[in-house]
Amino acid sequence: MTVTQPGTEPVIEQVTLAARASDAEIIAAVEAWLRAHLPEDWQAAVARGDLAAVEAIREDPERGPAWFDLLGDSGLATPTWPAEHGGLGLPADRGAVVTETLARFRAERHNRDFVGLVLAGHTILEWGTPEQKAERLPALRRGREFWCQLFSEPGAGSDLAGLSTRAVRQADGTWLVNGQKVWNSYAHLADFGLLMARTDPAAPKHRGITYFLLDMHTPGVEPRPLKQMTGNAEFNETFLTDVVVPDSARIGPVNQGWSVAITTLMQERNGLSGRPAVGPGEADTLVARAVGNGAWENPVLRDRLLEAYVEEKVLQMTTVRSFVASGDAAPTAEGSIRKLAHSVLAEKLGVLGTDLEPDGAVAWDPAEGSEAADRFLAMKTYSIAGGTSEIQRNIIAERVLGLPKDPDPERHLPFNERGRG
């Protein structure tokens, strides 16, 4: 693995890297590149643990984008992407080593880029036309486009295939879209959205859906932020009224959007199970808080903390093993096991955090906020996002354990003849 000067080609070149480089060699090469290119004040802030200073640099309107441009052009932001699209061509477990090294320097992409970088990126790589790849992937790897997901609807959440947003093909080849989506994270800030719409209501519900890459600035697209229990409003409901979408924005065949969506959903569940690395996590943070406020001296709380610590480490090790075992293979239904385990653990940690700081969970200074309260109020996120825990249990039962599916007497009926509840 060699390091070269920045240019139009990936800064870190492939030299039979995917097959032969060890973890230590990858880490050493990435660290060397970061020390050569990461701003000195950024590195100094990381060294002294001043995360606020790092975040200020990352959010600076000039310095942040400049860094993510460089990171994207290096191939490090998308290590598992093919080299011809600006990646390093690494298998998932090798790419995880790169990502984890970036995270130690706080140099990785923002969590809010997850939909674009992971979901849109991999979906376009697998299903996109050459023109779509050339147009969208460079901006995605540099963080120049912000994406959201337009899947769930008021009447189609857990049963996503029951969506009713309609896309009707016009005489000029464009599509006219009408409907409503919900739980669309950051839709009010997004440049593009991953849209599923029903294009053939006379087909069975899984077969009449088409997938689009929607320009969120198109007339008729109206995101409305929804205020949550935490006080934040990153979720949205999005109304689509006579939105004209060109056929060039369609990804995958007409009426086969469910197959495209499976690619997106598998990536989402894989991503929501945690980073494939063993190291400090949420339990470590809680232990530090407990030691700091004296809760560690309570033997019952200490036992619960240690139990959560062990569970988190087991989940991390399982995630690493799954990435190593999968290699270049696409995520499978086994990802639902890890996603479910992560969801259960997140709720356990949310409750445990309030027990460590009960005062902070019921009364706090609004100007300063409360980490205990925020985490408690947000702990259900993982059990809903990317498919509810109930859906994950069904997937595990049917696709991993081979148990029979629940009978659906209307399975082969056209969507417009199915009962709607």
Side-chain angles (χ1 to χ4, degrees), residues 178-223:
N178 285 277
Q180 180 185 353
K181 300 291 181 175
V182 75
W183 310 129
N184 318 124
S185 297
Y186 302 109
H188 59 304
L189 304 175
D191 299 300
F192 288 89
L194 302 173
L195 172 66
M196 294 172 66
R198 188 161 301 281
T199 45
D200 185 2
K205 70 176 183 178
H206 288 86
R207 299 179 191 170
I209 296 170
T210 302
Y211 199 119
F212 300 92
L213 307 177
L214 176 67
D215 184 340
M216 293 294 287
H217 304 293
T218 305
V221 179
E222 183 186 0

Side-chain angles (χ1 to χ4, degrees), residues 347-369:
E347 292 190 40
K348 176 178 288 189
L349 293 173
V351 173
L352 184 52
T354 64
D355 291 340
L356 298 179
E357 300 179 51
D359 293 344
V362 297
W364 60 90
D365 184 344
E368 297 181 1

Side-chain angles (χ1 to χ4, degrees), residues 1-14 33-34 37 64-79 81-89 98 102 107 109 117 134 136-144:
M1 190 171 190
T2 60
V3 180
T4 64
Q5 292 302 311
T8 57
E9 298 300 318
V11 177
I12 295 188
E13 299 176 337
Q14 286 181 281
W33 186 85
L34 287 170
H37 296 90
W67 168 252
F68 292 116
D69 276 351
L70 180 60
L71 187 69
D73 287 337
S74 75
L76 291 172
T78 52
W81 287 16
E84 61 266 29
H85 295 299
L88 299 177
V98 173
L102 292 176
R109 288 279 292 277
L117 193 64
R136 298 274 75 86
L137 294 180
L140 277 170
R141 71 170 188 264
R142 295 185 183 113
R144 287 292 183 170

Side-chain angles (χ1 to χ4, degrees), residues 88-104:
L88 299 177
L90 299 178
D93 60 319
R94 309 282 83 190
V97 176
V98 173
T99 302
E100 196 62 28
T101 306
L102 292 176
R104 286 196 288 107

